[in-house]
Amino acid sequence: MPDGKPWPRISIVTPSYNQGQFIEETIRSVLLQGYPDLEYIIIDGGSTDESVEIIRKYERWITFWTSEPDGGQTNAINKGFKRSTGEIVAWLNSDDVYTAGALCTAAKAFAEQPNSAVIYGDMAYVDAGTTILSHIGSRKFDLEELYRRNYIRQPASFISADAIKKIGFLDERFHYAMDYDLWICLGQEGNVMQYIPRTLAWFRLHGSSKSVSQQEAFWPEIFLVFDKVLTCRTPGAPLTEIAYSRILQSLLINHLSQQPHKIVRCTSKGMLDDGDGEMFYQKPLQEVLRFVDKDHFHAGDSYLLMEALHEIYKTLENEYNMGKISPSIGSKPRWVYIQLALLPGYLLLLGERTKSVGLYKTILYMHPFLLKYPQTYRFPGRYVMKTNPMFKKILKNLRSSRVFYGIRSIFFGSAIGSY
């Protein structure tokens, strides 16, 4: 290292399954880092395409690799982590790539802040041909903001081996949101999570990637992330309210999307609310859905909708807070008002433009006081962004600006963020 000390060993794990089109570029992006103490592990799930042939091509530079059936991506990553010997670990999926010097940058950051649990940076989206589509910034760590949205870019993240061992590695119940669960687990323990304002990785968007082809499958796991958070501990009034909001968001989008993916029936408690096979949230959720999914909204609907949201809040309090009165006086009405402001955005996310505008107009007409909440202003911004091609083009060109990214988060929020 620049100070004469030896470079810390970095262990990179690549989980792989039938990504022969991209895996060679992934492997080369790791090996060509030129990092002096690299341990590279590839766990392939029994690929039937050219993946294994490509891995064999580079096996003299790979510390360990195997190709056999496994329990999925998260299980494969854990297999690699448990075999690794590095002080710093990370996983790079078999269609993503590191930028030049990423490993050295991470190692230097850990040396400067040796008590860090995670070092993370920015990333860029690239297409199947590795053409950069847009730059995606991150931000300094803030647990409350992390509850709202996952702003830690997984391919651009490096983890202390000691920190991830202490929490028992990745939770293998997750197949899509395992990184989000990990960041929240580490953050809640008071670990140092350090942001580096530098692009460390490229995240590939293509037709068969989970982020493109299986977006609806992420929502059940967002529910599970926050069910786990609230079951394991009571995080305090502000965080609890955000967690309730994320649970409601995941339930609504999962049901409204009418996809075959269902919310995980086995919550962290592993119990159903009654003998009829209904989850604890089922009855109040159906009341909310009855209003949100209407083709036409009437003035009186907004009041009934508010009552239904009150019932959701009470149900969540009974399930996770044993019915105790929230320590934040007046938090219940505020939570309900914020959910009202957010509901049109969920419909817009699912492509229901006409319904979302109708709901937004009705809610705002009946409850103009919602204008005092910043969440109310996100819907118009998102609507313009989705429906105006010229605006989308301008936004894409400006995404690399961190100042603009901060302004955008205020007015537009994130694609899946809430509260």
Side-chain angles (χ1 to χ4, degrees), residues 202-367:
W202 292 348
F203 182 93
R204 195 183 304 276
L205 296 174
H206 57 94
S208 59
S209 66
K210 285 182 178 180
S211 299
V212 173
S213 63
Q214 302 175 49
Q215 287 186 18
E216 72 282 350
F218 283 79
W219 292 107
E221 295 201 355
I222 297 298
F223 171 89
L224 188 56
V225 166
F226 288 99
D227 173 76
K228 179 179 173 182
V229 164
L230 292 165
T231 303
C232 294
R233 63 171 70 198
T234 303
L239 291 176
T240 297
E241 289 174 20
I242 298 169
Y244 286 175
S245 185
R246 296 307 306 275
I247 281 179
L248 176 59
Q249 179 193 36
S250 63
L251 289 170
L252 286 172
I253 293 178
N254 184 73
H255 281 73
L256 289 169
S257 65
Q258 299 179 337
Q259 296 293 334
H261 303 273
K262 293 184 178 180
I263 292 294
V264 180
R265 293 187 59 80
C266 183
T267 66
S268 296
K269 289 187 175 65
M271 295 181 67
L272 297 175
D273 195 46
D274 55 45
D276 297 328
E278 285 190 346
M279 295 295 288
F280 65 88
Y281 55 76
Q282 200 69 35
K283 289 176 182 177
L285 179 69
Q286 289 302 325
E287 281 299 301
V288 175
L289 285 166
R290 189 163 65 88
F291 294 108
V292 173
D293 203 27
K294 279 188 172 184
D295 290 322
H296 302 286
F297 302 97
H298 303 288
D301 289 342
S302 64
Y303 291 106
L304 294 172
L305 179 56
M306 192 154 31
E307 288 181 13
L309 288 169
H310 272 287
E311 285 301 309
I312 288 278
Y313 185 92
K314 188 164 67 175
T315 300
L316 292 170
E317 283 280 271
N318 287 334
E319 178 71 12
Y320 296 113
N321 204 22
M322 296 181 289
K324 295 177 183 176
I325 297 173
S326 173
S328 174
I329 302 299
S331 64
K332 178 178 174 181
R334 185 181 68 248
W335 186 86
V336 169
Y337 299 151
I338 290 173
Q339 304 321 302
L340 278 174
L342 292 171
L343 286 175
Y346 302 159
L347 286 174
L348 183 63
L349 187 64
L350 294 168
E352 297 284 355
R353 295 179 183 178
T354 303
K355 278 187 180 181
S356 65
V357 171
L359 182 60
Y360 184 75
K361 286 180 176 178
T362 302
I363 288 173
L364 211 54
Y365 177 76
M366 297 306 300
H367 307 288

Side-chain angles (χ1 to χ4, degrees), residues 367-382:
H367 307 288
F369 61 85
L370 289 176
L371 290 170
K372 70 180 181 179
Y373 296 104
Q375 291 86 350
T376 306
Y377 298 93
R378 291 180 182 172
F379 176 80
R382 288 176 179 170

Side-chain angles (χ1 to χ4, degrees), residues 9-26:
R9 175 168 295 176
I10 297 181
S11 300
I12 304 297
V13 175
T14 290
S16 165
Y17 185 70
N18 285 344
Q19 291 287 353
Q21 181 183 355
F22 306 114
I23 192 171
E24 183 163 20
E25 191 172 0
T26 299

Side-chain angles (χ1 to χ4, degrees), residues 395-411:
L395 183 64
K396 178 180 175 181
N397 292 335
L398 288 173
R399 266 182 170 167
S400 59
S401 166
R402 291 189 181 90
V403 174
F404 180 80
Y405 185 80
I407 295 171
R408 176 185 176 275
S409 67
I410 295 171
F411 289 99

